[in-house]
């Protein structure tokens, strides 16, 4: 006889045992069943009996079998849903027993933000985070404030993306390393077209031909003197010519360079010229032996050159990707920057922060770097996405304009020091080679190899008279000149032009 009563009740029973089992209540028999036999069909019961047991379950509310939920073993977290970096940081942060002061807590928050971890995030995570919507919240998109410029009156300021005036410029040489456009304080725009230099008077609209080179030489650079009376012209033969704008006559020729002079910059009576051989000469235009210094630190052509407003520093950029800063009292660079990866032609000193210099690189660089020339540190950089051909700072706004070549051929307006882009202006069909700013600081002239010269009013003055009231240099000056009688003497008195005495 078996010692396991459970087995005898579900196995092949003897007649005596069957009677005892029959007298037991149904619930008691099920309660005494062995755990091993649960879910297994018994030998002495038919399939109908098993189906009857299953049918005693209450039906599902919808008649469908409920899906079992995912269960985890006790308190073991889901590691795939955990941020291990934040967890380790919070554990290490909680180990300290001493209370932390406000400075220490602020420091830890800064460290956590720099490392990309969250301080208040839970260490253990038991469920995956709910997925976030990839669609933009329209309430936030349409409630964002408009892009503001650095000026407080930006809401009233309107920047047009169409030029105010367009002039033809046939024969403009398509060469990145030349500098063929400049605007004088007397409101006269000079442009070099192949072998000729033309003067356009923005006050009267008159155009005059200043000079015509002979042979195979061509105009490589032009630069007005500070008072607007004299124009320096650099040629492809290495000569530097000084012309009187009023009499339209050549005063002198300074020779000596062995290659073309592609860039020049004035500092009172000193004219600096950059050559294709990498040398920079300082000429004293008052004396016969004009060469006073030779600066050699570039390995390739010098294509950017500009004096600071106080005359203490000279910045140069070259096709060797270098930016050199020269002290006026030395022939050795004060320091050299080599962060650019292409030729540096665009150089501009900030008019309202004396030690701030901006430099722009060519097609393989496309960056504008900002330098503190006192500490020699790089303050910031912009990836413009296009070849940088020139930089113009605003005198009135905390902004600057960059002109670009491949691939977009546009003008870009930036605020400083945030370096937020304010607007892009599609300028020309080809790369913008040259820019010049009007004397009143409101209009920028651009020239490109599509043989057009365009004028853009970007830095409109905050006041009605603005700086134009002092200098009388806006493009709308013909009416003022006519009101004054239209005579040259009246125009000269309005512009307050004094003839210099340092050129002989």
């Amino acid at each position: 006889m078996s010692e396991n009563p459970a087995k005898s009740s579900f196995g092949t029973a003897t007649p005596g045992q069957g009677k005892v089992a029959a007298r037991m209540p149904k619930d008691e028999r099920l309660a005494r069943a062995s755990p091993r036999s649960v879910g297994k069909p018994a030998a002495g019961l038919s399939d109908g009996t098993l189906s009857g047991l299953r049918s005693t379950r209450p039906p599902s509310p919808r008649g469908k079998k409920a899906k079992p939920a995912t269960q985890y073993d006790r308190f073991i977290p889901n590691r795939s849903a955990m941020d291990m970096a934040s967890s380790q940081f919070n554990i290490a942060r909680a180990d300290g027993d001493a209370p932390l002061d406000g400075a220490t807590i602020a420091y830890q928050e800064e460290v956590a933000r720099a490392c990309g971890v969250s301080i208040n995030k839970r260490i253990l995570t038991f469920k995956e985070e709910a997925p976030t919507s990839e669609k933009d919240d329209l309430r936030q998109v349409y409630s964002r404030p408009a892009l503001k410029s650095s000026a407080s009156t930006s809401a009233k300021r309107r920047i047009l993306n169409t030029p105010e005036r367009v002039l033809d410029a046939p024969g403009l040489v398509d060469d990145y390393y030349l500098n063929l456009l400049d605007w004088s304080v007397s409101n006269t725009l000079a442009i070099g077209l192949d072998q000729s230099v033309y003067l356009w008077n923005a006050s009267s609209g008159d155009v005059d031909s200043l000079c015509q080179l002979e042979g195979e030489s061509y105009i490589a650079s032009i630069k007005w003197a500070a008072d607007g009376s004299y124009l320096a012209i650099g040629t492809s033969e290495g000569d530097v010519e000084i012309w009187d704008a009023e009499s339209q006559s050549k005063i002198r020729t300074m020779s000596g360079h062995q290659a073309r002079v592609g860039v020049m910059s004035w500092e009172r009576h000193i004219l600096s010229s950059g050559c294709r051989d990498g040398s920079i000469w300082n000429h004293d235009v008052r004396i016969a032996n004009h060469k006073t210094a030779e600066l050699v630190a570039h390995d390739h052509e010098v294509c950017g050159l500009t004096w600071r407003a106080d005359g203490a520093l000279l910045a140069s950029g070259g096709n060797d990707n270098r930016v050199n800063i020269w002290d006026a009292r030395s022939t050795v660079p004060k320091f050299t920057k080599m962060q650019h990866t292409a030729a540096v032609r665009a150089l501009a000193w900030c008019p309202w922060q004396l030690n701030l210099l901006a430099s722009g690189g060519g097609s393989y660089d496309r960056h504008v770097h900002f330098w503190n020339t006192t500490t020699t540190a790089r303050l910031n950089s912009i990836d413009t996405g296009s070849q940088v051909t020139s930089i113009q700072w605003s005198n009135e706004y905390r902004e600057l304009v960059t002109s670009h070549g491949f691939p977009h051929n546009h003008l870009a307006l930036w605020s400083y020091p945030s370096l937020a882009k304010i607007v892009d202006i599609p300028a020309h069909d080809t790369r913008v080679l040259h820019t010049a700013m009007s004397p009143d600081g409101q209009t920028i002239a651009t020239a490109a190899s599509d043989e057009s010269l365009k004028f853009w009013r970007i830095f409109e003055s905050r006041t009605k008279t603005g700086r134009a009231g002092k200098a009388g240099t806006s493009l709308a000056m013909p009416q003022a000149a006519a009101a004054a009688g239209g005579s040259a003497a009246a125009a000269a008195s309005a512009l307050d032009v004094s003839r210099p005495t340092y050129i002989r």
Side-chain angles (χ1 to χ4, degrees), residues 132-144:
T132 58
S133 174
E134 297 180 356
K135 298 181 180 180
D136 293 333
D137 188 353
L138 297 182
R139 292 173 299 180
Q140 296 180 2
V141 172
Y142 289 102
S143 63
R144 291 174 185 168

Side-chain angles (χ1 to χ4, degrees), residues 70-146:
T70 304
Q71 297 180 359
Y72 297 103
D73 186 10
R74 291 192 291 182
F75 297 104
I76 299 178
N78 183 6
R79 287 183 175 270
S80 61
M82 294 174 57
D83 187 350
M84 300 300 295
S86 297
S87 300
Q88 293 176 0
F89 179 81
N90 288 327
I91 291 173
R93 184 168 175 261
D95 286 343
D97 297 332
L100 302 179
D101 56 359
T104 305
I105 294 175
Y107 173 74
Q108 290 187 355
E109 291 176 353
E110 291 295 330
V111 172
R113 187 179 299 108
C115 297
V117 298
S118 177
I119 291 180
N120 298 321
K121 193 169 183 178
R122 295 185 60 179
I123 297 177
L124 300 180
T125 304
F126 299 96
K127 292 183 180 180
E128 296 281 355
E129 293 184 359
T132 58
S133 174
E134 297 180 356
K135 298 181 180 180
D136 293 333
D137 188 353
L138 297 182
R139 292 173 299 180
Q140 296 180 2
V141 172
Y142 289 102
S143 63
R144 291 174 185 168

Side-chain angles (χ1 to χ4, degrees), residues 386-398:
S386 297
Q387 178 189 47
V388 184
T389 57
S390 69
I391 300 171
Q392 297 286 347
W393 288 93
S394 171
N395 294 321
E396 188 171 354
Y397 299 91
R398 295 297 187 261

Side-chain angles (χ1 to χ4, degrees), residues 384-447:
T384 64
S386 297
Q387 178 189 47
V388 184
T389 57
S390 69
I391 300 171
Q392 297 286 347
W393 288 93
S394 171
N395 294 321
E396 188 171 354
Y397 299 91
R398 295 297 187 261
E399 297 170 359
L400 68 153
V401 168
T402 55
S403 65
H404 301 277
F406 306 118
H408 302 303
N409 310 323
H410 69 293
L411 298 176
L413 179 62
W414 310 83
S415 65
Y416 190 87
S418 66
L419 301 184
K421 181 181 288 188
I422 299 174
V423 67
D424 275 331
I425 302 175
H428 290 266
D429 296 331
T430 58
R431 60 181 176 176
V432 183
L433 290 170
H434 314 286
T435 63
M437 184 175 287
S438 62
D440 63 358
Q442 300 186 45
T443 304
I444 290 181
T446 60

Side-chain angles (χ1 to χ4, degrees), residues 169-243:
L172 184 69
V173 179
D174 186 7
D175 194 326
Y176 175 79
Y177 302 99
L178 306 184
N179 292 269
L180 302 175
L181 187 68
D182 198 22
W183 206 330
S184 72
V185 296
S186 58
N187 209 23
T188 301
L189 188 76
I191 184 171
L193 302 177
D194 196 13
Q195 293 183 314
S196 304
V197 174
Y198 292 90
L199 304 180
W200 178 71
N201 191 317
S203 304
S204 63
D206 296 336
V207 178
D208 297 314
S209 176
L210 180 65
C211 68
Q212 176 81 30
L213 299 183
E214 298 178 354
E216 297 182 356
S217 60
Y218 57 87
I219 306 296
S221 60
I222 57 176
K223 193 66 177 178
W224 284 104
D227 55 17
S229 299
Y230 298 95
L231 181 68
I233 300 175
T235 70
S236 60
E237 301 299 322
D239 296 332
V240 177
E241 301 178 355
I242 306 295
W243 286 73

Side-chain angles (χ1 to χ4, degrees), residues 225 227 230 240 242 251-254 266-272 282-292 500-504:
D227 55 17
Y230 298 95
V240 177
I242 306 295
I251 297 177
R252 67 177 301 180
T253 299
M254 298 180 291
W266 285 89
E267 166 48 32
R268 299 181 61 204
H269 56 273
I270 298 296
L271 176 63
S272 299
N282 288 340
H283 310 267
D284 190 337
V285 298
R286 303 172 298 178
I287 59 180
N289 297 326
H290 53 86
K291 182 181 177 182
T292 59
T501 58
Y502 53 75
I503 295 184
R504 300 176 182 175

